[in-house]
């Protein structure tokens, strides 16, 4: 047994302060180190972002506030014009026409891409192993083909004289397509370009959504079948909740990519005919690289960045409101 000593202290006396142990001090330092360690680990990535993204953004903003044509570029003079590049751009009716065309074009091809990818992803879940592998290999090949190579193939398919599409339609009885030009108007040209972009974008969306679908436990589908749910009800109750976050992500990425699409549009008809298939990315090229009006091009690039920033902000709001965005 241990004896307990009772120590009597005089009234009003203050008990002696307990000595601080080194272990408590180490624990406190350890907690501070644990708090600061994540920020130290993020410093290299933050530095890379500042160098690769923030600094070019600052440069573009600076260029958009200057008169920077070929003369100023050669002489090295800095001519500040303030917001004149922005006011001239926003006062141009053609800019608003191209902006509306770009937004409509982007919305159409993004919707077609997501719908096509979703249908293929659901279809692959119900296919046999051999057929599913064949479909996946086909999608990978379509995805891996270079943009210019695919564009050349599409130009040949839709050629008015030698294109296989017109010949096939003629043999099917649609004789009016003999010598039909798919690039005679801006609407038909953008339709062909949209099909080209969708063809190249669908594989990524399909594989992303298919990865989410195969992650759903089979027991949930069996339970839905026992409850008497049909295919559409099963999709709404089981499949869609599982792939909705992935669908939001690929939709956001598709908007960013398709809004800035340039190579396909320029390679098909260089924004023609008569500029009717021109988008903001083509205008940016014509103003900056082709026209040597780098200040005006910087203003257009900044306005495009503002549009993409608004879309990104909306995506972040949707992400935060979902359970997947909960960081607690």
């Amino acid at each position: 047994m241990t004896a307990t000593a009772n120590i009597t202290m005089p009234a009003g006396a203050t008990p002696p302060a307990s000595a601080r142990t080194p272990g408590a001090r180490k624990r406190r330092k350890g907690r501070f180190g644990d708090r600061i360690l994540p920020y130290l680990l993020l410093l290299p990535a933050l530095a890379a972002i500042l160098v690769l993204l923030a600094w070019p953004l600052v440069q573009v903003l600076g260029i958009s506030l200057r008169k920077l044509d070929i003369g100023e570029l050669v002489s090295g003079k800095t001519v500040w014009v303030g917001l004149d590049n922005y006011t001239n751009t926003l006062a141009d009716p053609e800019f608003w026409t191209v902006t509306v065309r770009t937004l409509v074009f982007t919305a159409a091809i993004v919707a077609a891409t997501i719908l096509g990818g979703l249908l293929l992803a659901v279809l692959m879940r119900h296919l046999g192993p051999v057929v599913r592998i064949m479909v996946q290999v086909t999608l990978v090949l379509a995805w891996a083909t270079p943009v210019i190579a695919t564009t050349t193939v599409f130009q040949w398919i839709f050629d008015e004289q030698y294109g296989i599409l017109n010949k096939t339609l003629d043999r099917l009885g649609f004789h009016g397509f003999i010598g039909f030009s798919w690039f005679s108007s801006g609407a038909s040209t953008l339709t062909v370009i949209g099909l080209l972009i969708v063809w190249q974008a669908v594989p990524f969306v399909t594989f992303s959504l298919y990865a989410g679908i195969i992650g759903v436990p089979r027991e949930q589908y069996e339970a839905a079948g026992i409850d008497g749910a049909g295919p559409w009800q099963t999709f709404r109750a089981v499949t869609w909740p599982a792939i909705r976050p992935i669908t939001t992500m690929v939709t956001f990425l598709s908007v960013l990519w398709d809004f800035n699409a340039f190579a396909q549009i320029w390679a098909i008809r260089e924004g023609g005919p008569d500029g009717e298939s021109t988008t903001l990315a083509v205008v940016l090229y014509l103003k900056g690289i082709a026209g040597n009006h780098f200040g005006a091009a910087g203003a257009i690039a900044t306005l495009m960045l503002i549009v993409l920033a608004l879309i990104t902000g909306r995506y972040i709001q949707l992400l935060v409101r979902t359970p997947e965005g909960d960081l607690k």
Side-chain angles (χ1 to χ4, degrees), residues 86 88-102 278-280 283-284 287 296 299-304 307:
Y86 293 94
N88 293 334
T89 299
L90 295 175
D92 185 6
E94 183 65 22
F95 171 78
W96 292 105
T97 301
V98 174
T99 300
V100 173
R101 181 188 301 138
T102 304
T278 300
T279 60
L280 285 176
V283 172
L284 181 62
K287 286 283 187 180
I300 295 174
T302 304
L303 294 174
M304 293 176 63
V307 174

Side-chain angles (χ1 to χ4, degrees), residues 197-250:
I197 296 176
V198 170
W199 173 269
Q200 296 175 307
V202 159
F204 171 77
V205 176
T206 300
F207 284 117
S208 300
L209 297 179
Y210 180 68
I213 290 175
I214 62 177
V216 179
R218 187 175 297 273
E219 292 78 7
Q220 295 186 14
Y221 290 104
E222 295 175 354
I226 294 174
D227 292 339
W232 174 245
Q233 293 174 326
T234 302
F235 174 81
R236 289 184 56 188
V238 179
T239 305
W240 178 246
I243 65 173
R244 183 171 55 187
I246 304 177
T247 305
T248 304
M249 180 195 68
V250 296

Side-chain angles (χ1 to χ4, degrees), residues 239-307:
T239 305
W240 178 246
I243 65 173
R244 183 171 55 187
I246 304 177
T247 305
T248 304
M249 180 195 68
V250 296
T251 302
F252 169 71
L253 294 176
S254 298
V255 170
L256 296 184
W257 293 333
D258 298 339
F259 184 80
N260 294 307
F262 170 78
Q264 299 91 335
I265 301 173
W266 187 256
I268 289 289
R269 282 297 182 273
E270 298 182 357
D274 299 327
E276 293 182 4
S277 64
T278 300
T279 60
L280 285 176
V282 176
V283 172
L284 181 62
Y285 171 80
L286 293 175
K287 286 283 187 180
I289 304 301
N292 296 320
H293 301 297
F294 301 102
I300 295 174
T302 304
L303 294 174
M304 293 176 63
L305 182 63
I306 292 174
V307 174

